[in-house]
Amino acid sequence: MKFRTKDTDVINFIKASGITGGTEFNAVNYLVVALKNAGLWTNIKALYPFVGGNAEAHKYNLVNPIDTNAAFRLQFNGSVTHDSSGVTFSSANGWANTFLVATTHLIANKTTLALYSGSPFSAATGGIDMGAAITTTRREELTIRSNLNGCGANINSTTNGAGSAGFINTDGTGFYFASRQTSTDLRMYKNGVLQSSATTTNNGTQSNIQMYLGARNVTNVAQGFTGRNFALALIGLDYTPAQTVDFYNIVQQYQTILNRQV
């Protein structure tokens, strides 16, 4: 099938991922063009759209679809299921390495972590959906729904310490977006709606190890497997509150095109 687009980033991703379906192509084309038109593209470091239904297609970073660690291509580990719903990690041992390191590739106090979840359930004790932690004060983490129904984020802040943000969450589905704009401004959104903000000065620093999906990297060991389904994952720089709403609307339409919206 021949696809029609003028966007080279779409073309590069389609070629790398081997996508052949018209609906999937239309979804990717919409996502890229809409993000660019809204001025959201340039702050993205890694965006995994989890489209294509197989491990080969799902591993690529949309903004740089090259099969290398330096391009933040995912390396899947343990038990991971790939299908049209996206990627589902086993709660026993499933995770993926992004090869992205906060101290090297992100900016302190200007970082965003986001996940689109298709799993309503809570994770087991200690479950972390994405992130890295080298010490108690060097963390980038996002938890969608813990065993205590908590949703929380640490972005160069300590666990449950100054500069962390969180809220009670009884349904783990939806688009979760944590964005730190300054040392005193970390905001958490669910489906484009602000749920929590931290205005105290963060007392941590950036992690200096590779960030994982489906679990967190604790001193180069995967821990806290959540067993969750993801239909999109994002690591990037900071976004304003208005941009966060735009991001949600675009991602939700992308998922709707693929008929997997929640």
Side-chain angles (χ1 to χ4, degrees), residues 152-163:
N154 298 295
I155 297 179
N156 51 284
S157 51
T158 62
T159 299
N160 298 321

Side-chain angles (χ1 to χ4, degrees), residues 120-153:
F121 57 78
S122 61
T125 302
I128 304 290
D129 289 284
M130 71 184 299
I134 189 70
T135 67
T136 58
T137 60
R138 303 189 72 166
R139 295 173 182 261
E140 273 73 32
E141 299 173 337
L142 177 58
T143 300
I144 289 174
R145 185 184 175 192
S146 71
N147 62 307
L148 299 176
N149 289 333
C151 180

Side-chain angles (χ1 to χ4, degrees), residues 116 173-177 189-193 195 248-249 252 262:
Y116 194 99
T173 61
F175 188 45
Y176 297 85
F177 198 100
Y189 300 80
K190 179 178 180 179
N191 296 336
V193 178
Q195 303 291 330
Y248 165 69
N249 289 332
Q252 186 67 3
V262 295

Side-chain angles (χ1 to χ4, degrees), residues 49-61:
F50 297 135
V51 62
N54 58 73
E56 181 67 19
H58 288 167
K59 71 183 182 181
Y60 286 105
N61 174 9

